[in-house]
Amino acid sequence: MPSRLETLSRVYGPEAWDIYDVLDRSLEPRGREWLHELAADYLTAGARILDAGCRDASDLIRLVQAHDGFGVGVDPVAIHVERARAAVAAASLKERIEIVDGVMETLPYADCSFDFVWCRDVLEGVEPLDDALRALARMLKRDSRMLVYTSFATDLLTREEHRLLERQLSNLTANLDEEQVEAAFVRAGLQVERKDIVWSEFKEYAEERTQPGSRTLLRLARLRRSRERLERELPVELLNHIEATLHWELFLFLGKLQPTVYVLTHS
Ligand SMILES: C[S@@+](CC[C@H](N)C(=O)[O-])C[C@H]1O[C@@H](n2cnc3c(N)ncnc32)[C@H](O)[C@@H]1O
């Protein structure tokens, strides 16, 4: 058994420096970009694409442009819908992309209307999940694919951290459970054709380029140190939400959340 001094000398010595050097080298992570490469494997020219939870429609616009397709984006938040419509107009795609103000569960499209469904980072907050997945499955053509990116809680997430994330109103504990979500796929008549756990890759990719994680840390540190003052000036529930969102971003780095990509098809 090494003495405490021996251990300290080792931890602070050249052997440890070498390990830090190794950790400074990129593992060549995949970036968000990879999702578009994956989608390209399933998209052909002229495809009708549904973006469920499209936010500003940036992904949908890209998919439609890359595949000379047609798109529908749906989102229930007014500011997202407004921005998405403005982005579609700015890209001169009004003839090809429709943005619907609503939820995926009640989209009025006929069965088998779409050649591809893109659903990135949305299922974590959809309730009831069964209704949403059934609606997507219904609108997806037979032999077509649905790409889902969603994150699950891992065993590293403590009960307290779970509670913290619950403050982020958009996430539901049940939807962060891998088993429950995969069971919901099955109930919706979908099967997993491909599953990739991307862990912190997208985060590492972005951090190696523009350091958004450092900004998240700084924001969280500042929020904590100035909380008392901020609480006098701003709604507490908004601060709680922001605090939880910042944690969410960091948990993706720490393996407390497990971002997972699925390619689904009808079973
Ligand atoms: C975390 S954002 C992700 C947005 C976008 N897909 C992306 O990857 O940047 C989740 C989005 O899903 C939308 N959303 C939440 N529930 C929804 C539902 N039931 N149907 C459609 N969109 C929904 C939210 O308004 C929000 O824009």
Side-chain angles (χ1 to χ4, degrees), residues 119-134:
C119 186
R120 203 198 89 99
D121 212 10
V122 180
L123 294 188
E124 297 96 325
V126 170
E127 191 180 31
L129 183 59
D130 277 345
D131 289 1
L133 289 174
R134 284 199 179 107

Side-chain angles (χ1 to χ4, degrees), residues 120-126 149-151 170-172 175-176 248:
R120 203 198 89 99
D121 212 10
V122 180
L123 294 188
E124 297 96 325
V126 170
Y149 166 97
T150 196
S151 295
S170 52
N171 292 314
L172 301 157
N175 297 18
L176 299 185
W248 175 275

Side-chain angles (χ1 to χ4, degrees), residues 9-219:
S9 308
R10 201 165 180 212
V11 163
Y12 291 115
E15 202 183 352
W17 307 340
D18 288 347
I19 297 173
Y20 288 118
D21 284 344
V22 168
L23 297 176
D24 278 341
R25 277 177 229 141
S26 173
L27 296 175
E28 306 301 336
R30 289 170 287 187
R32 256 197 72 164
E33 195 67 21
W34 174 72
L35 291 179
H36 283 270
E37 288 165 25
L38 184 60
D41 290 345
Y42 304 102
L43 279 161
T44 49
R48 277 183 61 81
I49 302 162
L50 170 63
D51 184 347
C54 66
R55 187 140 61 184
D56 60 5
S58 52
D59 284 317
L60 182 59
I61 289 171
R62 242 185 102 172
L63 289 165
V64 165
Q65 282 173 333
H67 303 283
D68 203 15
F70 298 87
V72 170
V74 59
D75 204 287
V77 174
I79 186 76
H80 294 334
V81 171
E82 201 181 298
R83 287 188 179 158
R85 286 183 179 150
V88 167
S92 307
L93 285 171
K94 275 167 87 171
E95 307 300 312
R96 287 178 164 264
I97 296 181
E98 183 188 0
I99 301 296
V100 178
D101 184 349
V103 290
M104 62 180 97
E105 298 88 302
T106 54
L107 276 178
Y109 295 91
D111 296 358
C112 307
S113 295
F114 295 98
D115 301 293
F116 190 75
V117 173
W118 170 278
C119 186
R120 203 198 89 99
D121 212 10
V122 180
L123 294 188
E124 297 96 325
V126 170
E127 191 180 31
L129 183 59
D130 277 345
D131 289 1
L133 289 174
R134 284 199 179 107
L136 296 180
R138 179 186 69 72
M139 290 181 284
L140 182 69
K141 282 186 191 163
R142 302 280 330 165
D143 299 323
S144 292
R145 305 296 191 291
M146 176 160 139
L147 189 152
V148 167
Y149 166 97
T150 196
S151 295
F152 300 119
T154 71
D155 292 344
L156 294 179
L157 198 74
T158 66
R159 206 174 293 177
E160 211 169 292
E161 289 166 343
H162 257 291
R163 273 200 294 272
L164 177 81
L165 289 187
E166 278 164 15
R167 291 192 204 159
Q168 189 190 4
L169 304 176
S170 52
N171 292 314
L172 301 157
T173 301
N175 297 18
L176 299 185
D177 184 306
E178 189 174 15
E179 260 179 48
Q180 290 193 49
V181 171
E182 291 186 359
F185 290 156
V186 174
R187 285 195 297 276
L190 296 164
Q191 63 178 349
V192 176
E193 186 176 270
R194 175 176 178 158
K195 175 178 177 181
D196 277 72
I197 300 176
V198 293
W199 291 114
S200 52
E201 281 188 68
F202 294 179
K203 287 281 162 205
E204 288 170 47
Y205 182 95
E207 198 62 20
E208 286 172 10
R209 285 155 182 82
T210 54
Q211 294 82 46
S214 306
R215 191 162 183 217
T216 301
L217 266 172
L218 254 182
R219 285 173 161 174

